[in-house]
Amino acid sequence: MSDTTPVIPDQPEVCRTVDAEERGVWRRVMDRFADHCRARSLFVLHYCTGCGAIELPPTITSRFDMERVGVSPMVTPRQADILLITGYLSVKTLKRVILSYEQMQSPKYVLGFGSCTINGGMYWNSYATVKRLDQYIPADGFIAGCMPRPEAVQQVFLDLMKKIDAGQANAWQDYYLNYDRYLGNQMALFGEEWHTPVDVIAEAEHYGYVGDGTRGRFTEILDRHAAYALRDAPEDYPERGANERLLP
Amino acid sequence: MTLLADLILMPLVAFVVGLLLVLMARRVRAKIERRVGPPFLQPVYDIVKLYAKKTQVSHGVMHDLAIMMLLGGFITAEIFLPVPGLDGLAEHGDLITLVYIMMVPMLGLALGVGSCANPNGSIGISRALTAMLAYDVPYVVVIVGACISYGTTNLIDIVQIQQQGGPATWGAATMPILAFAGLLATHGMLGKEPFEIYIAPAEIATGPMTEMSGKYMGALFVMQCFQLYTVGVLYTTMFLGGGENWLFFLPKVFAVIFISVAVTNVYGRYKTDDVIRWMWKWPTGIALVGLALVMVR
Ligand code: SF4
């Protein structure tokens, strides 16, 4: 193992920053109303990676009918609110999960389905699977069991709804606030070359979710790669926008 | 002053009725699948949720403008569509204007999807425009037939002719063959199975909607409300005698949409070329027979 392999740092506490505007009455009422609606309309992107996916058809269809509580399936990450990871993730699929997750629009929620997403489950000693989902993307809830029954799936949705309604399902902010930690964990798995098309730091800056953990040693690696790529790109490279040319 | 009130009220009414139509469509589908179905306010929750997303992704100016065109097209269509008590601009426009305006949203969607640069979206929109070509042929024949039969293209006059003569002079009674062809074309227009090849969630990931998120998706949900309403009201006006008041009018609109929603669940999907073949064969053929009958009379 080379000495450049990133080390997983200690996990800092998750905390929610309250901006000044949020204290206004009107703003609070609107937020409350929006949260109320958010909790009652959840579009789910089923990321059916593992065996647990087989429990979803009964949950959606006539036996249990999720639509009566406002949960309905959607097919692209852009449209979805919930990323439902049903079962074990191999290292290869985790890459795709992260790409999908970064394309979703906030507020977004991640639910881990089955023991495999919690601690590796029966694949705990496999070389190819990921043990803990929430080290790589922030998760809002888990369903234990191998595999969980549809009743359990419904329960986690109802719990998530309560959390959203109370304005507490804010794990997605953690991805912005502590991006460095998540990126570090991802790099530990995929190598230092790992990067995604979504500029998470720029998003965090734009929407005001920059925290102490947004930038760090691992995002520096990203910056270095970006600078390197920029230096090597030919001057008349068509993708090279005006912004990029301004960079040193 | 009343005109101004009309202009504001008509799209609003259309939106609210459209929400109810969407709810009905989803409930009926749920009932057919032996499910309970969504709660009463579900369409509202969906739209508010989508507009309240905290991050939004735009794919450029064209993407934003497309959404304007999309909603603008339908809102314009609403104010040309007379409903009980609200005439809006219906006197100044006619059926032909309305048919033109109803094409604007689809073209807007095409421009917006083009700027998303998503292959699924491009395939979807090319299929959608092809489908439009398919169902617009019978639809135009039906509209021409109706205009010849009533002797006018003015929607207000059409409603009046039917209301003065009672149910015996309704379009559905005087030209049943055209009315039937119109129903088939309407079904294609709503993009329900078997004509929903351009949405095809399992194949091209909802086609034109693939890259739409947040408020863009919300605008599409609003558009769906307007679409159901416009199609339902137009059919009611042409063939079911409009309505003296909302109490008689709304059940007819709901019935038109209900027929479409109720039969859609038993079908699979046609391929795009099959859609064209079917649409240009059956509804067009039936509509031409109807047109011939109207002209002979
Ligand atoms: S928790 Fe069990 S059922 Fe779920 S993916 Fe893992 S092994 Fe399969």
Side-chain angles (χ1 to χ4, degrees), chain B residues 192-218:
Chain B
K192 301 270 180 209
E193 290 103 332
F195 308 117
E196 50 113 62
I197 187 73
Y198 58 91
I199 315 252
E203 187 199 347
I204 51 168
T206 63
M209 280 100 86
T210 311
E211 280 292 321
M212 301 289 178
S213 60
K215 59 184 175 187
Y216 301 93
M217 194 67 189

PDB file of all heavy atoms in Angstrom, chain B residues 192-218:
ATOM      1  N   LYS B 192     -51.666   8.281 -23.243  1.00  0.00           N
ATOM      2  CA  LYS B 192     -51.861   7.120 -22.363  1.00  0.00           C
ATOM      3  C   LYS B 192     -51.543   5.857 -23.151  1.00  0.00           C
ATOM      4  O   LYS B 192     -51.529   5.875 -24.387  1.00  0.00           O
ATOM      5  CB  LYS B 192     -53.323   7.076 -21.905  1.00  0.00           C
ATOM      6  CG  LYS B 192     -53.746   8.323 -21.163  1.00  0.00           C
ATOM      7  CD  LYS B 192     -53.490   8.151 -19.712  1.00  0.00           C
ATOM      8  CE  LYS B 192     -53.892   9.383 -18.944  1.00  0.00           C
ATOM      9  NZ  LYS B 192     -53.107   9.575 -17.750  1.00  0.00           N
ATOM     10  N   GLU B 193     -51.316   4.750 -22.431  1.00  0.00           N
ATOM     11  CA  GLU B 193     -51.121   3.496 -23.126  1.00  0.00           C
ATOM     12  C   GLU B 193     -52.336   3.241 -24.020  1.00  0.00           C
ATOM     13  O   GLU B 193     -53.442   3.535 -23.602  1.00  0.00           O
ATOM     14  CB  GLU B 193     -50.977   2.329 -22.134  1.00  0.00           C
ATOM     15  CG  GLU B 193     -49.710   2.338 -21.341  1.00  0.00           C
ATOM     16  CD  GLU B 193     -49.956   2.821 -19.925  1.00  0.00           C
ATOM     17  OE1 GLU B 193     -50.913   3.601 -19.750  1.00  0.00           O
ATOM     18  OE2 GLU B 193     -49.226   2.421 -19.034  1.00  0.00           O
ATOM     19  N   PRO B 194     -52.176   2.661 -25.192  1.00  0.00           N
ATOM     20  CA  PRO B 194     -50.940   2.141 -25.783  1.00  0.00           C
ATOM     21  C   PRO B 194     -50.110   3.185 -26.537  1.00  0.00           C
ATOM     22  O   PRO B 194     -49.235   2.810 -27.298  1.00  0.00           O
ATOM     23  CB  PRO B 194     -51.477   1.096 -26.766  1.00  0.00           C
ATOM     24  CG  PRO B 194     -52.815   1.604 -27.161  1.00  0.00           C
ATOM     25  CD  PRO B 194     -53.360   2.364 -26.007  1.00  0.00           C
ATOM     26  N   PHE B 195     -50.379   4.470 -26.337  1.00  0.00           N
ATOM     27  CA  PHE B 195     -49.645   5.479 -27.124  1.00  0.00           C
ATOM     28  C   PHE B 195     -48.599   6.214 -26.291  1.00  0.00           C
ATOM     29  O   PHE B 195     -48.282   7.347 -26.579  1.00  0.00           O
ATOM     30  CB  PHE B 195     -50.619   6.483 -27.723  1.00  0.00           C
ATOM     31  CG  PHE B 195     -51.737   5.833 -28.469  1.00  0.00           C
ATOM     32  CD1 PHE B 195     -53.042   5.979 -28.070  1.00  0.00           C
ATOM     33  CD2 PHE B 195     -51.456   5.046 -29.569  1.00  0.00           C
ATOM     34  CE1 PHE B 195     -54.066   5.352 -28.756  1.00  0.00           C
ATOM     35  CE2 PHE B 195     -52.470   4.417 -30.258  1.00  0.00           C
ATOM     36  CZ  PHE B 195     -53.781   4.568 -29.852  1.00  0.00           C
ATOM     37  N   GLU B 196     -48.090   5.605 -25.229  1.00  0.00           N
ATOM     38  CA  GLU B 196     -47.157   6.353 -24.389  1.00  0.00           C
ATOM     39  C   GLU B 196     -45.726   5.924 -24.624  1.00  0.00           C
ATOM     40  O   GLU B 196     -44.898   5.965 -23.721  1.00  0.00           O
ATOM     41  CB  GLU B 196     -47.541   6.270 -22.914  1.00  0.00           C
ATOM     42  CG  GLU B 196     -47.798   4.899 -22.385  1.00  0.00           C
ATOM     43  CD  GLU B 196     -46.764   4.483 -21.373  1.00  0.00           C
ATOM     44  OE1 GLU B 196     -46.629   5.118 -20.322  1.00  0.00           O
ATOM     45  OE2 GLU B 196     -46.103   3.490 -21.667  1.00  0.00           O
ATOM     46  N   ILE B 197     -45.417   5.581 -25.854  1.00  0.00           N
ATOM     47  CA  ILE B 197     -44.064   5.117 -26.178  1.00  0.00           C
ATOM     48  C   ILE B 197     -43.034   6.213 -25.910  1.00  0.00           C
ATOM     49  O   ILE B 197     -41.871   5.940 -25.655  1.00  0.00           O
ATOM     50  CB  ILE B 197     -44.004   4.649 -27.647  1.00  0.00           C
ATOM     51  CG1 ILE B 197     -42.667   4.000 -27.973  1.00  0.00           C
ATOM     52  CG2 ILE B 197     -44.253   5.768 -28.627  1.00  0.00           C
ATOM     53  CD1 ILE B 197     -42.484   2.655 -27.397  1.00  0.00           C
ATOM     54  N   TYR B 198     -43.448   7.483 -25.936  1.00  0.00           N
ATOM     55  CA  TYR B 198     -42.447   8.530 -25.706  1.00  0.00           C
ATOM     56  C   TYR B 198     -42.158   8.772 -24.236  1.00  0.00           C
ATOM     57  O   TYR B 198     -41.225   9.479 -23.899  1.00  0.00           O
ATOM     58  CB  TYR B 198     -42.840   9.838 -26.400  1.00  0.00           C
ATOM     59  CG  TYR B 198     -44.172  10.427 -26.018  1.00  0.00           C
ATOM     60  CD1 TYR B 198     -44.259  11.340 -24.985  1.00  0.00           C
ATOM     61  CD2 TYR B 198     -45.330  10.093 -26.702  1.00  0.00           C
ATOM     62  CE1 TYR B 198     -45.470  11.898 -24.644  1.00  0.00           C
ATOM     63  CE2 TYR B 198     -46.542  10.647 -26.378  1.00  0.00           C
ATOM     64  CZ  TYR B 198     -46.611  11.551 -25.340  1.00  0.00           C
ATOM     65  OH  TYR B 198     -47.812  12.102 -25.015  1.00  0.00           O
ATOM     66  N   ILE B 199     -42.966   8.173 -23.348  1.00  0.00           N
ATOM     67  CA  ILE B 199     -42.651   8.253 -21.924  1.00  0.00           C
ATOM     68  C   ILE B 199     -41.886   7.000 -21.511  1.00  0.00           C
ATOM     69  O   ILE B 199     -40.815   7.087 -20.917  1.00  0.00           O
ATOM     70  CB  ILE B 199     -43.933   8.364 -21.083  1.00  0.00           C
ATOM     71  CG1 ILE B 199     -44.869   9.370 -21.703  1.00  0.00           C
ATOM     72  CG2 ILE B 199     -43.594   8.667 -19.631  1.00  0.00           C
ATOM     73  CD1 ILE B 199     -45.035  10.634 -21.022  1.00  0.00           C
ATOM     74  N   ALA B 200     -42.434   5.848 -21.810  1.00  0.00           N
ATOM     75  CA  ALA B 200     -41.809   4.536 -21.580  1.00  0.00           C
ATOM     76  C   ALA B 200     -40.797   4.500 -20.443  1.00  0.00           C
ATOM     77  O   ALA B 200     -39.600   4.393 -20.686  1.00  0.00           O
ATOM     78  CB  ALA B 200     -41.164   4.048 -22.883  1.00  0.00           C
ATOM     79  N   PRO B 201     -41.244   4.576 -19.179  1.00  0.00           N
ATOM     80  CA  PRO B 201     -40.311   4.703 -18.058  1.00  0.00           C
ATOM     81  C   PRO B 201     -39.265   3.603 -17.995  1.00  0.00           C
ATOM     82  O   PRO B 201     -38.117   3.868 -17.664  1.00  0.00           O
ATOM     83  CB  PRO B 201     -41.222   4.619 -16.830  1.00  0.00           C
ATOM     84  CG  PRO B 201     -42.576   4.930 -17.308  1.00  0.00           C
ATOM     85  CD  PRO B 201     -42.642   4.510 -18.729  1.00  0.00           C
ATOM     86  N   ALA B 202     -39.643   2.379 -18.327  1.00  0.00           N
ATOM     87  CA  ALA B 202     -38.692   1.289 -18.170  1.00  0.00           C
ATOM     88  C   ALA B 202     -37.721   1.211 -19.340  1.00  0.00           C
ATOM     89  O   ALA B 202     -36.738   0.502 -19.283  1.00  0.00           O
ATOM     90  CB  ALA B 202     -39.439  -0.036 -18.032  1.00  0.00           C
ATOM     91  N   GLU B 203     -38.013   1.928 -20.404  1.00  0.00           N
ATOM     92  CA  GLU B 203     -37.157   1.812 -21.574  1.00  0.00           C
ATOM     93  C   GLU B 203     -36.261   3.039 -21.744  1.00  0.00           C
ATOM     94  O   GLU B 203     -35.042   2.929 -21.811  1.00  0.00           O
ATOM     95  CB  GLU B 203     -38.033   1.626 -22.818  1.00  0.00           C
ATOM     96  CG  GLU B 203     -37.216   1.327 -24.059  1.00  0.00           C
ATOM     97  CD  GLU B 203     -37.993   1.605 -25.328  1.00  0.00           C
ATOM     98  OE1 GLU B 203     -39.218   1.790 -25.244  1.00  0.00           O
ATOM     99  OE2 GLU B 203     -37.363   1.675 -26.382  1.00  0.00           O
ATOM    100  N   ILE B 204     -36.863   4.232 -21.808  1.00  0.00           N
ATOM    101  CA  ILE B 204     -36.049   5.436 -22.002  1.00  0.00           C
ATOM    102  C   ILE B 204     -36.216   6.399 -20.836  1.00  0.00           C
ATOM    103  O   ILE B 204     -36.073   7.604 -20.984  1.00  0.00           O
ATOM    104  CB  ILE B 204     -36.392   6.139 -23.332  1.00  0.00           C
ATOM    105  CG1 ILE B 204     -37.902   6.351 -23.438  1.00  0.00           C
ATOM    106  CG2 ILE B 204     -35.881   5.373 -24.504  1.00  0.00           C
ATOM    107  CD1 ILE B 204     -38.287   7.284 -24.564  1.00  0.00           C
ATOM    108  N   ALA B 205     -36.528   5.833 -19.640  1.00  0.00           N
ATOM    109  CA  ALA B 205     -36.550   6.652 -18.417  1.00  0.00           C
ATOM    110  C   ALA B 205     -37.378   7.929 -18.573  1.00  0.00           C
ATOM    111  O   ALA B 205     -36.875   9.031 -18.423  1.00  0.00           O
ATOM    112  CB  ALA B 205     -35.129   6.983 -17.976  1.00  0.00           C
ATOM    113  N   THR B 206     -38.636   7.778 -18.895  1.00  0.00           N
ATOM    114  CA  THR B 206     -39.609   8.865 -19.059  1.00  0.00           C
ATOM    115  C   THR B 206     -39.243   9.880 -20.143  1.00  0.00           C
ATOM    116  O   THR B 206     -39.788  10.974 -20.161  1.00  0.00           O
ATOM    117  CB  THR B 206     -39.897   9.627 -17.751  1.00  0.00           C
ATOM    118  OG1 THR B 206     -38.699  10.260 -17.314  1.00  0.00           O
ATOM    119  CG2 THR B 206     -40.435   8.740 -16.680  1.00  0.00           C
ATOM    120  N   GLY B 207     -38.359   9.519 -21.031  1.00  0.00           N
ATOM    121  CA  GLY B 207     -38.091  10.334 -22.220  1.00  0.00           C
ATOM    122  C   GLY B 207     -37.882  11.808 -21.949  1.00  0.00           C
ATOM    123  O   GLY B 207     -36.893  12.187 -21.315  1.00  0.00           O
ATOM    124  N   PRO B 208     -38.790  12.673 -22.414  1.00  0.00           N
ATOM    125  CA  PRO B 208     -38.576  14.122 -22.283  1.00  0.00           C
ATOM    126  C   PRO B 208     -38.350  14.577 -20.848  1.00  0.00           C
ATOM    127  O   PRO B 208     -37.706  15.585 -20.617  1.00  0.00           O
ATOM    128  CB  PRO B 208     -39.879  14.723 -22.828  1.00  0.00           C
ATOM    129  CG  PRO B 208     -40.496  13.660 -23.644  1.00  0.00           C
ATOM    130  CD  PRO B 208     -40.051  12.360 -23.090  1.00  0.00           C
ATOM    131  N   MET B 209     -38.874  13.826 -19.884  1.00  0.00           N
ATOM    132  CA  MET B 209     -38.763  14.277 -18.485  1.00  0.00           C
ATOM    133  C   MET B 209     -37.470  13.829 -17.818  1.00  0.00           C
ATOM    134  O   MET B 209     -37.245  14.152 -16.653  1.00  0.00           O
ATOM    135  CB  MET B 209     -39.942  13.744 -17.661  1.00  0.00           C
ATOM    136  CG  MET B 209     -41.197  14.522 -17.837  1.00  0.00           C
ATOM    137  SD  MET B 209     -42.244  13.657 -18.959  1.00  0.00           S
ATOM    138  CE  MET B 209     -43.085  12.538 -17.869  1.00  0.00           C
ATOM    139  N   THR B 210     -36.618  13.106 -18.513  1.00  0.00           N
ATOM    140  CA  THR B 210     -35.452  12.501 -17.872  1.00  0.00           C
ATOM    141  C   THR B 210     -34.641  13.497 -17.068  1.00  0.00           C
ATOM    142  O   THR B 210     -34.277  13.246 -15.925  1.00  0.00           O
ATOM    143  CB  THR B 210     -34.528  11.875 -18.932  1.00  0.00           C
ATOM    144  OG1 THR B 210     -35.318  11.075 -19.780  1.00  0.00           O
ATOM    145  CG2 THR B 210     -33.457  11.054 -18.302  1.00  0.00           C
ATOM    146  N   GLU B 211     -34.355  14.654 -17.662  1.00  0.00           N
ATOM    147  CA  GLU B 211     -33.454  15.603 -17.013  1.00  0.00           C
ATOM    148  C   GLU B 211     -34.207  16.652 -16.197  1.00  0.00           C
ATOM    149  O   GLU B 211     -33.602  17.570 -15.665  1.00  0.00           O
ATOM    150  CB  GLU B 211     -32.603  16.315 -18.063  1.00  0.00           C
ATOM    151  CG  GLU B 211     -31.423  15.503 -18.541  1.00  0.00           C
ATOM    152  CD  GLU B 211     -30.372  15.319 -17.463  1.00  0.00           C
ATOM    153  OE1 GLU B 211     -30.111  16.256 -16.704  1.00  0.00           O
ATOM    154  OE2 GLU B 211     -29.817  14.210 -17.386  1.00  0.00           O
ATOM    155  N   MET B 212     -35.515  16.559 -16.144  1.00  0.00           N
ATOM    156  CA  MET B 212     -36.285  17.584 -15.436  1.00  0.00           C
ATOM    157  C   MET B 212     -36.257  17.305 -13.939  1.00  0.00           C
ATOM    158  O   MET B 212     -36.534  16.204 -13.509  1.00  0.00           O
ATOM    159  CB  MET B 212     -37.733  17.568 -15.924  1.00  0.00           C
ATOM    160  CG  MET B 212     -37.870  17.813 -17.386  1.00  0.00           C
ATOM    161  SD  MET B 212     -37.509  19.510 -17.784  1.00  0.00           S
ATOM    162  CE  MET B 212     -37.695  19.495 -19.550  1.00  0.00           C
ATOM    163  N   SER B 213     -35.927  18.326 -13.176  1.00  0.00           N
ATOM    164  CA  SER B 213     -35.929  18.129 -11.735  1.00  0.00           C
ATOM    165  C   SER B 213     -36.559  19.347 -11.092  1.00  0.00           C
ATOM    166  O   SER B 213     -36.759  20.365 -11.750  1.00  0.00           O
ATOM    167  CB  SER B 213     -34.500  17.958 -11.233  1.00  0.00           C
ATOM    168  OG  SER B 213     -33.771  19.113 -11.547  1.00  0.00           O
ATOM    169  N   GLY B 214     -36.852  19.253  -9.828  1.00  0.00           N
ATOM    170  CA  GLY B 214     -37.345  20.396  -9.068  1.00  0.00           C
ATOM    171  C   GLY B 214     -38.462  21.138  -9.748  1.00  0.00           C
ATOM    172  O   GLY B 214     -39.435  20.556 -10.194  1.00  0.00           O
ATOM    173  N   LYS B 215     -38.276  22.456  -9.893  1.00  0.00           N
ATOM    174  CA  LYS B 215     -39.378  23.264 -10.411  1.00  0.00           C
ATOM    175  C   LYS B 215     -39.694  22.963 -11.866  1.00  0.00           C
ATOM    176  O   LYS B 215     -40.819  23.175 -12.311  1.00  0.00           O
ATOM    177  CB  LYS B 215     -39.084  24.748 -10.227  1.00  0.00           C
ATOM    178  CG  LYS B 215     -37.842  25.220 -10.897  1.00  0.00           C
ATOM    179  CD  LYS B 215     -37.586  26.688 -10.571  1.00  0.00           C
ATOM    180  CE  LYS B 215     -36.256  27.104 -11.168  1.00  0.00           C
ATOM    181  NZ  LYS B 215     -35.865  28.455 -10.764  1.00  0.00           N
ATOM    182  N   TYR B 216     -38.722  22.446 -12.618  1.00  0.00           N
ATOM    183  CA  TYR B 216     -38.996  22.086 -14.006  1.00  0.00           C
ATOM    184  C   TYR B 216     -39.976  20.917 -14.066  1.00  0.00           C
ATOM    185  O   TYR B 216     -40.936  20.917 -14.835  1.00  0.00           O
ATOM    186  CB  TYR B 216     -37.698  21.743 -14.733  1.00  0.00           C
ATOM    187  CG  TYR B 216     -36.731  22.894 -14.726  1.00  0.00           C
ATOM    188  CD1 TYR B 216     -35.771  23.017 -13.746  1.00  0.00           C
ATOM    189  CD2 TYR B 216     -36.832  23.882 -15.683  1.00  0.00           C
ATOM    190  CE1 TYR B 216     -34.908  24.091 -13.716  1.00  0.00           C
ATOM    191  CE2 TYR B 216     -35.970  24.969 -15.669  1.00  0.00           C
ATOM    192  CZ  TYR B 216     -35.012  25.062 -14.685  1.00  0.00           C
ATOM    193  OH  TYR B 216     -34.178  26.127 -14.652  1.00  0.00           O
ATOM    194  N   MET B 217     -39.712  19.943 -13.206  1.00  0.00           N
ATOM    195  CA  MET B 217     -40.631  18.810 -13.109  1.00  0.00           C
ATOM    196  C   MET B 217     -41.987  19.298 -12.602  1.00  0.00           C
ATOM    197  O   MET B 217     -43.029  18.853 -13.064  1.00  0.00           O
ATOM    198  CB  MET B 217     -40.036  17.778 -12.144  1.00  0.00           C
ATOM    199  CG  MET B 217     -40.686  16.442 -12.182  1.00  0.00           C
ATOM    200  SD  MET B 217     -40.390  15.634 -13.739  1.00  0.00           S
ATOM    201  CE  MET B 217     -41.494  14.256 -13.559  1.00  0.00           C
ATOM    202  N   GLY B 218     -41.943  20.230 -11.643  1.00  0.00           N
ATOM    203  CA  GLY B 218     -43.193  20.789 -11.122  1.00  0.00           C
ATOM    204  C   GLY B 218     -44.006  21.420 -12.241  1.00  0.00           C
ATOM    205  O   GLY B 218     -45.219  21.230 -12.336  1.00  0.00           O
TER     206      GLY B 218
END
